[in-house]
Structure formats: C-alpha cells, structure tokens
Amino acid sequence: MQVVTNIKGLVQVLPASVRKVCGKDMQDLKVLKNAFLLFDKGRIVDYGSMKKWAEMAADYGRIKEIDATGRFVFPSFCDSHTHIVYAGSREIEYNDKIRGLSYEEIAKRGGGILNSVDRLRQASENELFDSAWERLQEMCAYGTGAAEIKSGYGLDLKSEMKMLRVIARLKEKSPLTIKANFLGAHAVPREYIGRQTQYVDLIVKEMIPAIGKEKLADFVDVFCDKGFFTIKDTERILEAGARYGMRPKIHANELALSGGIQVGVKYKALSVDHLEYVGKKEIEALLGGDTMPTVLPGAAFFLGMSLSPVREMMAAGLPVAMASDFNPGSSPSGNMQFVMSLACVRYRMYPEEAVHATTINTACAMGVSDVLGSISKGKKANFFITKEIPTYEYMPYSFGNNKVEKVFLNGKQVR
Ligand code: NIG
Ligand code: FE
C-alpha cells in the first residue's frame, strides 16, 4: 500500500464506469484540491481530500508516503496512435520540404514511407527493439503510460512479422500498457507498384492468417485515403482481420473526404484517425456509431495541414481523442504534453477538453478505458506527479517543456 499526499490538484477523477467523455461534457474536468491518492497491488484503492485521509490514515498504519506538495497528479496519457518501431530518421526529407520540394520530388529522392521500409527491412530485430525502447522511455518520461504501436514499415510478411515481434517484446518488457496494430496496408511496397490489388491479396491471404495464428496483432489498420488504399481494399482487409479477432483502427480522411470514416464506423472500428477532412456526412456517420474520432495534431503541425474541425465535432456531441502519431515521416515526437498544447493553441480546445482527449478518450480508442485513462477506484495505478506548477492549465500553456517529475505505472515508480 502506498499513498500520495498533499496533492495540489488530483486531475481527471471519474467514476470507474465512464468509458469516454463526449461533446459538451468534455468541458468539465474534475480536479480534487488538496487530495490524496491511495494505491495497492498496481491498482487505485481510494482518493479524496486530505481531511478524509487524516481520518483514515491510522487504519493503514505505516505505509509509504509520497509528498506531492505544490504538485498536480494526472492519470498517465494514453497514446492511441504511434509508429515507434522504425529504423533511421528522415530529416533529409524534412529539409527538402522546407526548401519547397513537392511530395513527388521527395519520393523520387528516396523519401516517404518507402524510405523507412528500405531501412526497416535491413535492420535486425534487436536494433529495432533497442531504438523503439528508447522512444518508449522518452514517451514515458513525458507522462505516457500506454501506447498503441503499429507495424507498417515492413510491407512483406517477413518484415511485418519482424516489426510485430518487436512490439510483442516491448509488451513483455515494458511497464507501459501496449497494444499491437497490424498496418500492412500502410503503402504499396515497391515490388507491388501498379499491382495494388495483388498486394491486398497478399495481406488478406497470407499476412493476416500468419499474424493471426501467432496472435501478434490486437488491431488491424489501413491507410484508407485518396491515393492510398480504397474502400474496397479496406473492407477486404477489415473482414480478414475480424476472422482473427483484430479490431479495426484506421487512418482516414487525412488527404480527402475519402469515405474512410464511414467504412470505419460500418466495421465498428475502435477509432478513425487523422480526420483533417470531416464534413456533415462524416459527423453524422460518427454520431451513428461507437468509433472514436482521433486527431493527430503533431502530424498536422509538422506537415502544415489544414486542421480537423474538432470544435464542430464536439458541438455535435462527439467525443474527440488526440494522439501523437509518433513516426519518422510526419510526427517525430511522442510528447503528449505538446499534443495538449497544440490542441489548445491550434484547435482552440479548452485545457479541460485537451485532458479528456489525451487520457480517457485515447484509452477508449485503444480499448483500455475500463482500466486506464482516469483516476478511478480499481483502475491501474498509472499516473504522474508534476513538478511544482501553479495550475493544471499550466500543462498545455508551458509548451515544449517537460512538467512531469515522477511516473508511476502499475503502482510502481518507474521514473
Ligand atoms: O500516420 N498517414 C500515414 N502514415 C503516417 C506517416 C508515416 C510516414 O510518413 O512514415 C502517419 O502520419
Ligand atoms: Fe499514423
């Protein structure tokens, strides 16, 4: 049994039954002042005011106490969309972009997803593990306690399995809660250019059964967008994934009103992600289902894209989740505190909404909001203690700086 005491503000206290927070409710954030947090065997046991703790403390005898005077406690961020298993980096492409080269020109110079594919195919499983581990450590230092990690830089059976084995090892070794997502349909590999349907055949007939048999993927993903995979490709892949229990989480509407959102809702996807292009029909489709609309502010920032209409979505009653999209091409950062800042500055979300978007709603987007995403009795004791800060709004306000001082995952201090 351990207790955090004198917490200036215990942020995101919710009843354990809440799975997501929608629409106007996202403006309400419960923050307990001058609070305690009691946890045992990896789970949250109780919380409340210091006055209540003074009355209870004697019942617990001498237990380990962590004093959080002047500090806030937040539930760990859930980062429901990342691509952290990759080899090398792509700052050359970044440089080219700044100098005004088009996407096509960049691709010709070896840029884009296929650049990462070339490097990943050459990398050993150990090299990939070590670099992904470092990224995970950094994410953890910034307050992330759960992550969904995608494959999708292998694009052949052997290399996709290699990526998924790396993710399986991360799952086993890391105290973070990790979910694996098979993204064979990230791009058409060089050897299949001009033969997209045959590549989808390979995914459906060989990759998914092999991966499914070894239970290497919790989820299945498709980059369903203009110039990438079609609705028909997506349906085939999601149906094949469903046969092996892989829930869909898909990349949709980053480049156009592609129908990706609708197909996600139709196949009961946990989430549809990116969403730069959202109109009335898309909002209606989302209102008719249980799929979490997920925005990736880091990618939109890095690529200078138009912004997802999150205020409209929330006004319509929808929940919104926000994840990092940590990847070498469009979002080389897993800093969820910065995601919160982008949410507020660029998307005009209120700090309260940004907290919901990065905790309970992303937990929902990765199917773990029964055990993560809020300070609730019985949930995993995954939380962080901030440095001394004046208010919870200081979190998004003080952008780029790490305000996290101590991290607890499964009830154990890991940083
Ligand atoms: O989520 N949109 C597709 N995929 C990635 C980009 C991956 C890359 O460029 O390597 C994304 O932004
Ligand atoms: Fe992505």
Side-chain angles (χ1 to χ4, degrees):
M1 193 79 71
Q2 294 185 60
V3 65
V4 188
T5 53
N6 300 311
I7 304 167
K8 188 169 183 177
L10 180 62
V11 181
Q12 183 62 321
V13 174
L14 282 174
S17 58
V18 174
R19 294 286 173 265
K20 60 181 170 187
V21 179
C22 306
K24 244 191 166 353
D25 291 345
M26 288 182 73
Q27 296 176 19
D28 293 326
L29 179 69
K30 187 152 179 208
V31 182
L32 287 185
K33 285 186 189 150
N34 195 23
F36 76 95
L37 178 66
L38 184 69
F39 56 100
D40 189 33
K41 297 188 182 79
R43 300 274 171 168
I44 295 171
V45 175
D46 206 355
Y47 54 78
S49 66
M50 281 306 289
K51 189 166 165 275
K52 175 174 161 190
W53 177 244
E55 287 158 13
M56 290 167 58
D59 300 344
Y60 290 94
R62 288 173 70 83
I63 59 169
K64 188 170 176 203
E65 181 177 335
I66 303 121
D67 179 61
T69 300
R71 292 158 171 82
F72 285 76
V73 168
F74 283 73
S76 296
F77 295 119
C78 294
D79 192 347
S80 61
H81 183 136
T82 82
H83 309 245
I84 61 167
V85 178
Y86 61 83
S89 52
R90 293 186 0 221
E91 63 275 18
I92 290 184
E93 203 176 304
Y94 170 70
N95 215 359
D96 286 347
K97 228 175 276 166
I98 295 167
R99 287 174 165 69
L101 261 66
S102 71
Y103 187 81
E104 264 189 338
E105 287 165 321
I106 289 168
K108 247 189 237 151
R109 290 166 63 132
I113 293 171
L114 298 184
N115 179 4
S116 290
V117 172
D118 293 340
R119 300 209 213 178
L120 184 127
R121 286 180 178 179
Q122 280 163 30
S124 73
E125 197 179 301
N126 283 339
E127 285 163 358
L128 291 171
F129 177 84
D130 291 345
S131 62
W133 180 260
E134 281 306 309
R135 289 175 198 121
L136 213 48
Q137 294 293 99
E138 198 177 63
M139 288 159 65
C140 180
Y142 278 87
T144 295
E148 178 257 31
I149 309 175
K150 300 171 196 294
S151 70
Y153 291 123
L155 309 188
D156 62 29
L157 180 60
K158 192 173 117 226
S159 311
E160 285 294 307
M161 296 279 267
K162 179 168 72 178
M163 285 189 85
L164 290 164
R165 285 206 185 92
V166 169
I167 301 170
R169 276 172 67 189
L170 293 170
K171 256 190 198 183
E172 205 182 291
K173 276 222 167 160
S174 169
L176 275 84
T177 302
I178 292 172
K179 294 285 180 188
N181 193 349
F182 168 58
L183 176 56
H186 196 187
V188 176
R190 289 189 213 287
E191 61 276 19
Y192 277 90
I193 285 174
R195 298 187 296 136
Q196 180 157 323
T197 304
Q198 278 98 312
Y199 181 57
V200 175
D201 288 342
L202 179 76
I203 292 175
V204 167
K205 293 183 184 148
E206 287 182 38
M207 293 192 189
I208 290 178
I211 290 159
K213 237 173 258 158
E214 288 198 34
K215 297 197 175 1
L216 285 170
D218 302 294
F219 308 133
V220 62
D221 201 335
V222 177
F223 188 7
C224 174
D225 224 322
K226 192 178 149 203
F228 285 81
F229 293 89
T230 65
I231 302 291
K232 183 155 179 258
D233 295 336
T234 306
E235 292 192 326
R236 289 184 61 202
I237 292 167
L238 300 191
E239 277 165 24
R243 285 197 277 278
Y244 292 90
M246 301 175 196
R247 289 273 313 260
K249 271 174 72 66
I250 65 177
H251 283 75
N253 295 48
E254 177 185 4
L255 308 171
L257 291 165
S258 58
I261 291 177
Q262 288 86 336
V263 76
V265 173
K266 179 174 164 198
Y267 283 85
K268 300 196 185 334
L270 268 171
S271 70
V272 284
D273 302 24
H274 273 294
L275 314 189
E276 275 70 24
Y277 290 83
V278 172
K280 283 213 168 62
K281 279 192 188 143
E282 284 69 23
I283 289 180
E284 249 165 56
L286 285 162
L287 283 169
D290 218 10
T291 296
M292 178 62 68
T294 303
V295 177
L296 309 170
F301 167 71
F302 192 83
L303 299 177
M305 288 189 292
S306 58
L307 302 184
S308 183
V310 299
R311 290 237 66 88
E312 264 172 73
M313 292 195 269
M314 291 185 297
L318 286 172
V320 171
M322 288 196 169
S324 76
D325 197 18
F326 196 168
N327 79 75
S330 64
S331 187
S333 164
N335 179 350
M336 289 292 279
Q337 295 175 53
F338 185 52
V339 168
M340 277 181 78
S341 300
L342 291 173
C344 296
V345 175
R346 303 193 79 214
Y347 295 80
R348 296 284 156 207
M349 279 183 120
Y350 310 136
E352 296 76 18
E353 293 168 334
V355 172
H356 289 303
T358 51
T359 58
I360 188 73
N361 286 354
T362 35
C364 182
M366 55 189 286
V368 295
S369 60
D370 55 335
V371 286
L372 290 174
S374 62
I375 302 293
S376 310
K377 284 183 203 173
K379 280 198 180 180
K380 280 195 193 181
N382 279 23
F383 61 88
F384 60 80
I385 304 176
T386 65
K387 295 175 178 164
E388 280 196 51
I389 59 173
T391 56
Y392 66 81
E393 291 96 330
Y394 190 85
M395 272 306 254
Y397 157 83
S398 174
F399 80 89
N401 304 312
N402 192 0
K403 281 82 64 185
V404 170
E405 188 168 83
K406 292 194 175 93
V407 177
F408 288 78
L409 296 179
N410 312 305
K412 290 206 179 77
Q413 187 175 349
V414 297
R415 291 193 89 89

